[in-house]
Amino acid sequence: MNKYSVLIVGGGSTYTPGMVLMLLSQLDRFPLRKIKLYDNDPERQEVIARACEIIIHEKAPDIEFLASTNPEEAYTDIDFAMAQIRVGKYAMRELDEKIPLKYDVVGQETCGPGGIAYGMRSIGGILENLDYMEKYSPNAWMLNYSNPAAIVAEATRRLRPNSKIINICDMPIELENHMATILGLKSRKEMDVRYFGLNHFGWWTEIYDKAGNDLMPRLKEHVRKYGYVEDESLYTDPKRDSWHATYQKARDILELDDAYLPNTYLKYYLFQDYVVKHSDKNYTRTNEVMDGREKDVFTACRKVAEDGHCHDDLFDVDNHATFIVDLATGIANNTHERMLLITENKGAIANFDPTAMVEVPCLVGKNGIEPLAMGEIPQFQKGLMEQQVSVEKLVVDAWITGSYHKLWQALTLSKTVPSATVAKQILDELIEANKGYWPELK
Ligand code: NAD
Ligand code: G6P
Ligand code: MN
């Protein structure tokens, strides 16, 4: 079997150690000759890299390891770039969340004004990395899960139409894991699903087991009571983080439209007032992440470097990230595995903009991905999606042309924002906060 060289872009990410451990757990189906890390923040990557080097040396000494902040060194001789960058890091995510909240508007990483602001930062970062890949390893594929994936996908569709980049999100996978647990299945792979939407904005229309039996009635019954919280006894657990409330809220989304099972992110568009009311304007999800995952991962990495050895309980293997290996092997071995991916619509959703970047089941092969036809969608979903996809397209227009008005329109059109007046106030504050990250707007 071929052995592959993988570059993790955003080597300093909190997900990198879990990702490396995941890759090491999948060597039988995805053999590696090299693991490389690339980041543009040397200090941040260094901490993670020292731990990864020890882990790889211990568990798979034949795999070559290199961490670099030099694009040529990092991007030369790679087969896959797995991209997880956060342009502006948590400091900027915190502002994305807190600025809109000042105006009683949803403050969220990828939804509403926060997601728009993040999109305006991410586009340049992803293009820069895609260009390095094409220069130094022109045959490589970029598997991108840097956010906001919807805006990044629209930007690369427009600006790098021939690039080998596939955009992917773990939210449907995470929710399918919950569904499998709810149903008592061993794995989400025991389900066949139909799904349509945009990234962080979609619905499951059908779910079957491998014998073709309909699993939707049992799932809906559970979601109507507990949302996607798997176990009744966990439902009222006060110690859980803010994701718990998000899983619960699926209950109310299903009540609004009980035809399909919703992606949890729809709560930001359908229950905006509830979300704002339940947000702490001084302590948002970023603060939770900085006090939790970021602290834990960096402390664990420093411990590994000090001890020169990795104890097995220090990191969680990011098992749910195995979908990235599914995608890589799908490409490498031309498996035609069916996966939910972000792709140009081209008629997959029959009554929707053919140029929209949508999230639908696709077949994965050596020459890219092919979307499967999901047919016509109902008026309610279509209306919501047309509004949201227009926001995403206007953001990309604004980035390309440097137009203040396009971005103001994008914010105004977001279902999370009540008026053009509020949109302008938020926009003006975001422009100040994002100086040096956004193109200059006129
Ligand atoms: P993080 O801030 O810990 O890590 C991101 C890293 O990217 C940082 O080390 C930063 O220095 C680096 N970086 C920023 N700009 C860069 C550039 N231009 N070139 C190279 N490196 C750059 O963030 P995190 O919380 O670990 O998340 C990483 C990314 O993964 C985010 O974009 C997040 O939204 C995304 N994510 C996506 C999914 C999904 O479903 N699509 C799931 C989880 C995380
Ligand atoms: C899910 C989404 C990602 C998002 C992440 C945020 O996994 O699919 O797109 O980046 O949640 O998680 P966090 O723990 O950083 O809030
Ligand atoms: Mn996602």
Side-chain angles (χ1 to χ4, degrees):
M1 226 191 310
N2 243 336
K3 289 192 173 185
Y4 300 101
S5 169
V6 164
L7 174 68
I8 299 180
V9 184
S13 158
T14 54
Y15 293 107
T16 298
M19 184 72 73
V20 165
L21 284 165
M22 182 281 288
L23 288 172
L24 297 180
S25 75
Q26 303 291 312
L27 292 172
D28 50 341
R29 64 180 182 128
F30 188 55
L32 297 177
R33 57 189 170 86
K34 259 190 211 182
I35 297 179
K36 298 169 101 177
L37 307 186
Y38 169 70
D39 204 289
N40 63 2
D41 178 338
E43 286 86 41
R44 191 173 172 91
Q45 175 163 270
E46 173 67 16
V47 181
I48 306 273
R50 287 180 66 194
C52 289
E53 184 167 23
I54 291 165
I55 293 170
I56 293 168
H57 188 71
E58 258 178 31
K59 294 191 185 281
D62 292 344
I63 298 177
E64 206 182 306
F65 174 78
L66 178 85
S68 176
T69 51
N70 174 326
E72 178 170 1
E73 191 177 38
Y75 275 95
T76 298
D77 183 31
I78 59 158
D79 302 300
F80 293 97
M82 300 182 173
Q84 47 183 20
I85 66 169
R86 185 185 289 288
V87 179
K89 292 175 274 195
Y90 291 128
M92 291 309 295
R93 175 176 175 179
E94 187 175 8
L95 294 174
D96 291 345
E97 292 168 351
K98 290 185 176 172
I99 291 173
L101 277 173
K102 280 200 213 167
Y103 300 89
D104 288 329
V105 168
V106 169
Q108 213 279 327
E109 180 194 24
T110 64
C111 304
I116 293 172
Y118 188 11
M120 289 291 285
R121 293 197 301 276
S122 279
I123 295 172
I126 292 296
L127 293 181
E128 171 187 282
N129 278 285
L130 202 47
D131 292 347
Y132 291 144
M133 183 181 86
E134 292 181 348
K135 183 163 177 201
Y136 300 117
S137 283
N139 296 321
W141 281 89
M142 180 172 284
L143 313 182
N144 177 55
Y145 37 98
S146 313
N147 269 317
I151 291 171
V152 167
E154 172 63 8
T156 51
R157 182 189 75 82
R158 297 255 285 273
L159 298 167
R160 298 291 185 278
N162 301 315
S163 290
K164 291 163 98 175
I165 177 170
I166 299 175
N167 297 288
I168 187 164
C169 172
D170 68 354
M171 197 69 237
I173 287 147
E174 180 74 18
L175 289 170
E176 286 176 17
N177 283 337
H178 281 236
M179 291 175 192
T181 307
I182 289 165
L183 293 164
L185 303 175
K186 278 198 215 71
S187 152
R188 66 180 175 88
K189 294 203 174 183
E190 291 177 30
M191 306 187 302
D192 287 327
V193 311
R194 289 174 66 81
Y195 180 100
F196 73 84
L198 310 170
N199 178 235
H200 290 183
F201 205 101
W203 294 263
W204 282 266
T205 59
E206 294 169 56
I207 304 181
Y208 300 105
D209 67 14
K210 289 295 172 187
N213 298 306
D214 187 1
L215 299 172
M216 283 295 251
R218 271 174 65 204
L219 277 171
K220 282 186 188 168
E221 194 186 317
H222 182 97
V223 177
R224 256 179 228 120
K225 287 193 200 135
Y226 309 113
Y228 291 115
V229 178
E230 297 110 316
D231 186 327
E232 184 182 350
S233 66
L234 299 173
Y235 191 71
T236 50
D237 184 349
K239 291 191 297 296
R240 308 203 125 208
D241 67 15
S242 53
W243 271 100
H244 187 66
T246 296
Y247 289 124
Q248 283 181 330
K249 195 68 184 166
R251 194 179 67 160
D252 298 340
I253 308 176
L254 186 64
E255 195 187 351
L256 176 65
D257 176 4
D258 78 349
Y260 303 147
L261 283 170
N263 192 306
T264 42
Y265 275 95
L266 288 160
K267 84 166 186 181
Y268 297 106
Y269 303 94
L270 300 173
F271 295 97
Q272 314 87 316
D273 49 352
Y274 162 91
V275 168
V276 171
K277 205 165 144 223
H278 289 83
S279 299
D280 181 340
K281 293 180 183 182
N282 300 309
Y283 193 86
T284 55
R285 176 64 191 159
T286 306
N287 303 111
E288 264 183 22
V289 173
M290 289 192 295
D291 291 344
R293 185 173 72 236
E294 188 185 38
K295 205 165 267 168
D296 295 347
V297 168
F298 280 81
T299 306
C301 284
R302 290 196 173 94
K303 172 136 183 62
V304 172
E306 256 170 52
D307 295 359
H309 166 66
C310 180
H311 306 274
D312 274 346
D313 57 352
L314 276 179
F315 300 99
D316 294 330
V317 185
D318 199 347
N319 274 324
H320 92 280
T322 53
F323 68 93
I324 296 160
V325 169
D326 294 343
L327 181 56
T329 52
I331 296 168
N333 305 333
N334 208 22
T335 61
H336 297 112
E337 175 155 351
R338 181 175 166 146
M339 296 183 71
L340 268 183
L341 299 167
I342 302 165
T343 188
E344 189 166 352
N345 184 24
K346 291 183 180 160
I349 302 170
N351 53 343
F352 196 62
D353 183 345
T355 72
M357 292 304 281
V358 296
E359 198 166 84
V360 289
C362 296
L363 301 181
V364 180
K366 213 177 181 64
N367 297 307
I369 59 176
E370 299 171 61
L372 298 175
M374 292 294 112
E376 301 229 333
I377 59 172
Q379 197 68 49
F380 178 59
Q381 281 76 10
K382 183 166 173 279
L384 288 167
M385 281 169 60
E386 275 169 352
Q387 181 176 24
Q388 177 59 21
V389 85
S390 302
V391 172
E392 290 158 7
K393 282 179 177 289
L394 283 163
V395 173
V396 175
D397 288 343
W399 192 88
I400 294 172
T401 61
S403 162
Y404 177 95
H405 268 81
K406 294 276 185 201
L407 202 59
W408 184 16
Q409 288 168 8
L411 275 144
T412 304
L413 196 55
S414 174
K415 204 170 177 319
T416 59
V417 176
S419 75
T421 313
V422 176
K424 193 171 196 311
Q425 289 167 337
I426 296 175
L427 175 57
D428 289 342
E429 209 169 323
L430 287 173
I431 289 174
E432 275 305 303
N434 282 279
K435 281 225 165 89
Y437 287 111
W438 288 7
E440 213 171 308
L441 301 179
K442 280 191 224 56

